[in-house]
Amino acid sequence: MDKNREEGRITQIMKFTPSLSKQRYQFIKDLVWKYKPKKVADLGCADCTLLWMLKFCRCIEVLAGLDICASVMKDKMHRLSPLPVDYLQPDERSLTVTLHHGSVANKDPCMLGFDLVTCIELIEHLEESELRKFPEVVFGFMAPSIVVISTPNSEFNCLLPGVTSFRHPDHKFEWDREQFQSWALKAASRYDYSVEFTGVGHPPAGMEKVGFCTQIGVFVRKHPPTSDSAQFEKPAEAVYKTVFKAVYPSLKDEKYLQHAVVGEVVFTAQFMKGSLLDRSVLEHKCSDHPAACKSGFQPSEDLEKLVVEKGTEPYVDGSTFYVPLRTIFSFPKVNRLCGTFEKLCKLIAGKVPLSSDGSAVMLNTEGE
Amino acid sequence: MAVRARARARGKPPGQETGIPAVGAAAIQPAQQRQQPYARGRHRDPQNVPQQQIEKKPEGLQLSVGFQSLCIGDRGGHRKDYHDLGVNTRQAMEHVQESKTGFSGNVIKLCANFFRLTSRPQWALYQYHVGYSPEMEARRLRTALLLHHDKLIGKSYAFDGSVLFLPRRLANKVTEVFSKTRNGENVKITITLTNELPPTSPTCLHFYNIIFRRLLKMLNFQQIGRHYYNPEDPINIPNHRMMIWPGFATSILQYEESIMLCVDVSHKVLRNETVLEYMYDLCRQVEERRIKEICAKELLGVIVLTKYNNRTYRIDDIDWDANPQCTFLKADGSEISYIDYYKKQYNLDIHDLNQPVLITQRKRRRENFTSGPIALIPELCFLTGLTEKMRSDFYTMRDLAVHTRLPPEQRQHEIGKLIDSIQRDDNVQDQLQSWGLGFDSQLLSFNGRVAQRERIFQSGNVFDYNPQFADWSRETRGVPLSCAKPLDNWLLIYTRRNYGSANSLLQSLFKVTPSMGIRMNKATMLEVDDRVEAYLRALRQSITPDTNIVFCILSSSQKVKYDAIKKYLCTDCPIPSQCVLARTLSKPQTLLAVATKIALQMNCKMGGELWTVEIPLKHVMIVGIDCYHDTSSGKRSIAGFVASLNQTMSRWFSRCVLQDHGQELVDGLKVCFQTALRDWYKYNKYLPSRIIVYRDGVGDGQLSALVSYEVPQILDCLKSIGQDYSPRLAVIVVKKRLNTRFFVQRAGEFKNPPPGTIVDVEITRPEWYDFYIVSQAVRNGCVSPTHYNVIYDTSKLKPDHMQRLTYKLCHLYYNWQGVIRVPAPCQYAHKLAFLVGQSIHKEPNLLLSDKLFYL
């Protein structure tokens, strides 16, 4: 074989594209995409990178992280906070992100009821005593629908230059495929899970026999847990310490829904007033230069073309402009937010100036 | 100014540099475009960092980089020196070595929004160098190895990979410890004490600020731009699709006596509108062929937030040839379209596939990245702040002011709440204690002085004004002006619709002018069509060499007409002009008051004088300089320059300098000074023996450039006037946008300090010759003091005289019968630069240079 090509291969071995950690995270993202879990916990969340990636998955409503080291979590935990934009346009879904400081060898009720629990490159950091308790805590106590466990495949180490014993000084062990699989199968059968093995980090051509660089076990619970048993085992006290908690603004929260609806109603009314009073300007614009727009850029949602039902047109009385609520309700955005007309009326009561019979939004025409 | 211009030069719109394919490129763009994804910085792999770059960083650089790691999630990079630390101008001025304080006026007890930083006795920051043997490259690895020794390092530390800061001293000057790498390799770590930093050192100050930002984050504040805001309690203004976040602007600096924290309430205006929605809105309002131009005008320079990260970006350009289906190169070299990228990375859907792409220049260079433009998708960006259009909308501003203009009592209360929560929060206190720091819980109190009230002289009459309002419009009503110019021959141009307004204005002017001493003939009335060309034709046909002034009544605030009229009358045909909106004249009950103001303004524009104050200083020329930055059209900057022509400071010479980006202001300044001195000589038959320059428009962090470039250039220029001419010079930097607030306590309530309040102790900076003056009065909200920093002074004026002269000059702005925030020359210079930048875009005709035509 050509020497240059061999060298090229070796550098390929050393470096995965995308990086191995990204491949592991992508694996979890794909899994989330497939199973759409609502509550996800990451055990050994370290600098919260996976949690940060998962917060963009719109099916997830509860995210939790657990790590034995508080400082590494705290280092970048603020990226799990809601963004300014999340407050500006609250999402339909609710999302709560919590970080706990504690050990996977201990049971804490805050870890109950999850759909997916991930343990990425975690178990190899556990002391023997902790590893012994681990299956009972994760499969027995937390008992989520799905558990994902990844760990280095020691058979691959011969391809990693410079790795003599373990890949990381903190690793307590590194298993080959057989060791991992026998441990996993034992745990699965004991706690009534099925398990499938896969991995990320493909070996280079010709070396397929060593398997993936990272081996992964995906455990799926066979039967829904009887709620009684979980209740019984529930320890009375919490042992984890909460280091971070962020509740994302959501339209499920009445306060944010009201803000959004009031904002949309007032804006829509203003818009109608503006377009009605400035009709001449608009018509002038439309007649001018019919086919001048070369960029193909145009408003997609044309508010002006909305058909307004008969008897619900906005009207002017003295210096007051009235926009019937029915009309406002027919605007898609308002409609989507409220669902029903009654809900709309309830949400804006007392927040938007209404006509005496409460059927129309009042705006002042003076000065503007 | 010079600095800003240079910074702009880097921020060249990328559209000009990169060859962007032809229109309609829905197809894939060549991937070699330099547009890069924003997420790059986040995922960067430290192993990719070339070795030499880490090793060969100069010591000074490491120090500032050192703090990057310290701030949690803070935007890294080399931050600008916003506080102008390290510019020591006082040491060069002998007469203020001992004292820079004044003495005249009545003493007043004041509080300010400052809190002393307290620290344990003998507190110091210890700087260590951390070396690895064998050498380790990756910063993450270096940090991990060091942290194996957390018992030694302790809870509070700051480490950037080579420089370690600790709040206490390790037992030995050199400490050696051993760690083991993942490969089982033994590494010797040598921690060597390199520096013991006293609390007042610049590094320490920087450090305090970072610690404080950490605290704000712990209190759940969110950083937007430079300040921190509370997202939990926003104020919604649905009429304007706005949301206001209350928050705080904070900084910790070394002040005259001690290190203090300055806290002021700040409000962030966020808009509940994506850039795309805003563009749709513009589309509905304007003709399609102008949409690109209008979007550029409204959006360039605007700061946006994105849906997916917590960064702000400034829109520098709009790429109309690109769209979300275009591709770019990711960090790993693969090519991906914007749509796919956002779907994959953030699970965000882009709906409008025809929208253009926004371009922003990376502001701060990260150490290891070549800086390139970043592309943003309008649909995923939210607008922040106010556009020029919104700022000029009275109703928007009024609705905003209700929430943002806090009266003193309330402002003080909000500040107190923050200090309270700092004292109460356990985590925050933990953090502070681990570093051995703390803050006073009381507002700083000290003594200021209230300058003696000025008397207003108007053609032989002397007036005192009510100091509470700092306004003398009532007192001087019906009194002849100091120098009235006749309206013998003037034009009044109006459209048919405004014939009534024109007539009633004329009647009112006839009523108000006689008592002012203005002789007035009936105007030549010209009715025109409401078109730009019609106005210009009327001007061309009717202006004669005898025309005193042209008066135009405009039917709506259409800028095009105003600009065209002003441009013609300031450049081609130099005649003073007065434009008024018909709406202003529409209310009969206010018409007389309006006519009075108009008469005063017209008189000034024609070269008249209104009033004077007593200025004992002789042979002094006062200069005012301010800048206007035109962000939309070609990023030009305009410097307005005005200089006094007489002893009473009632007549002013003016010129302006137009500079394209990258050009230095100083070249133009030279010409200004030369012509100003020539005109002074014409008026006075001698040259001034003192020149005092008030320099406005200096941004945060630009002081050092001013000191090292602009002042020497002014000196050079004065030297070139004549061999035996060496006037005394003082240069004073005027700053209006401050976070400093003063309060007086009256009957247990916090109030604004009275106009004329001067502060030159405690909150001034020891390395500067600076002072604060509250010259104006405000009706609502908190008064904002103006900061004066004398950066060069051979005038030999005592600080007290300098302060009083400055205060006197705040009385001389003829467009306002009262005291203003800045010395009149600064406001004149501002007006001039604004007019030229907004409307004329050309240097005005020099025939107008001795008139206040720009009012």
Side-chain angles (χ1 to χ4, degrees), chain A residues 108-178:
Chain A
D108 186 295
C110 70
M111 281 294 159
L112 289 173
F114 280 85
D115 301 311
L116 170 65
V117 167
T118 60
C119 312
I120 303 301
E121 306 297 271
L122 167 74
I123 54 169
E124 65 275 12
H125 291 273
L126 301 180
E127 298 285 355
E128 213 188 314
S129 60
E130 294 169 319
L131 184 67
R132 252 200 321 273
K133 291 181 194 157
F134 176 83
E136 167 56 21
V137 175
V138 175
F139 298 106
F141 172 71
M142 296 183 192
S145 319
I146 304 168
V147 178
V148 182
I149 296 175
S150 87
T151 189
N153 168 18
S154 62
E155 292 165 77
F156 198 96
N157 285 4
C158 61
L159 295 173
L160 298 172
V163 174
T164 45
S165 57
F166 294 148
R167 295 184 196 174
H168 190 278
D170 189 52
H171 285 183
K172 308 300 185 298
F173 59 86
E174 279 175 12
W175 281 338
D176 60 25
R177 278 172 290 175
E178 205 200 312

Side-chain angles (χ1 to χ4, degrees), chain B residues 610-630:
Chain B
L610 303 188
W611 65 82
T612 57
V613 295
E614 191 193 355
I615 296 189
L617 210 57
K618 302 281 181 285
H619 301 187
V620 58
M621 180 169 95
I622 308 286
V623 173
I625 302 172
D626 194 7
C627 299
Y628 172 83
H629 301 284
D630 195 349

Side-chain angles (χ1 to χ4, degrees), chain A residues 108-283:
Chain A
D108 186 295
C110 70
M111 281 294 159
L112 289 173
F114 280 85
D115 301 311
L116 170 65
V117 167
T118 60
C119 312
I120 303 301
E121 306 297 271
L122 167 74
I123 54 169
E124 65 275 12
H125 291 273
L126 301 180
E127 298 285 355
E128 213 188 314
S129 60
E130 294 169 319
L131 184 67
R132 252 200 321 273
K133 291 181 194 157
F134 176 83
E136 167 56 21
V137 175
V138 175
F139 298 106
F141 172 71
M142 296 183 192
S145 319
I146 304 168
V147 178
V148 182
I149 296 175
S150 87
T151 189
N153 168 18
S154 62
E155 292 165 77
F156 198 96
N157 285 4
C158 61
L159 295 173
L160 298 172
V163 174
T164 45
S165 57
F166 294 148
R167 295 184 196 174
H168 190 278
D170 189 52
H171 285 183
K172 308 300 185 298
F173 59 86
E174 279 175 12
W175 281 338
D176 60 25
R177 278 172 290 175
E178 205 200 312
Q179 287 170 305
F180 176 56
Q181 291 180 8
S182 76
W183 175 84
L185 286 166
K186 219 168 87 189
S189 76
R190 172 145 185 223
Y191 297 99
D192 205 18
Y193 277 76
S194 65
V195 57
E196 277 179 40
F197 297 100
T198 173
V200 293
H202 282 278
M207 301 297 285
E208 284 86 354
K209 63 174 180 5
V210 299
F212 290 107
C213 189
T214 297
Q215 46 183 339
I216 299 176
V218 179
F219 301 74
V220 179
R221 200 180 54 216
K222 285 183 184 158
H223 306 291
T226 46
S227 51
D228 300 348
S229 64
Q231 288 292 317
F232 268 113
E233 282 185 50
K234 198 169 172 178
E237 56 177 329
V239 290
Y240 298 163
K241 198 181 159 207
T242 304
V243 293
F244 175 86
K245 184 169 181 174
V247 180
Y248 278 60
S250 155
L251 292 177
K252 293 215 171 75
D253 182 339
E254 187 92 340
K255 176 180 135 191
Y256 289 109
L257 179 63
Q258 186 170 45
H259 273 171
V261 170
V262 168
E264 211 47 55
V265 165
V266 172
F267 182 78
T268 308
Q270 290 268 358
F271 175 82
M272 296 210 68
K273 189 185 99 180
S275 58
L276 217 77
L277 299 184
D278 289 347
R279 185 57 76 186
S280 55
V281 178
L282 284 166
E283 273 161 14

Side-chain angles (χ1 to χ4, degrees), chain B residues 58-79:
Chain B
E59 192 67 23
L61 221 128
Q62 279 180 347
L63 216 123
S64 69
V65 172
F67 288 111
Q68 273 180 44
S69 61
L70 188 67
C71 28
I72 314 156
D74 200 4
R75 296 111 217 241
H78 303 280
R79 61 193 58 247

Side-chain angles (χ1 to χ4, degrees), chain B residues 147 243 247 516 577 827:
Chain B
L147 290 189
M243 190 185 259
M516 296 179 183
S577 55
Q827 190 62 20

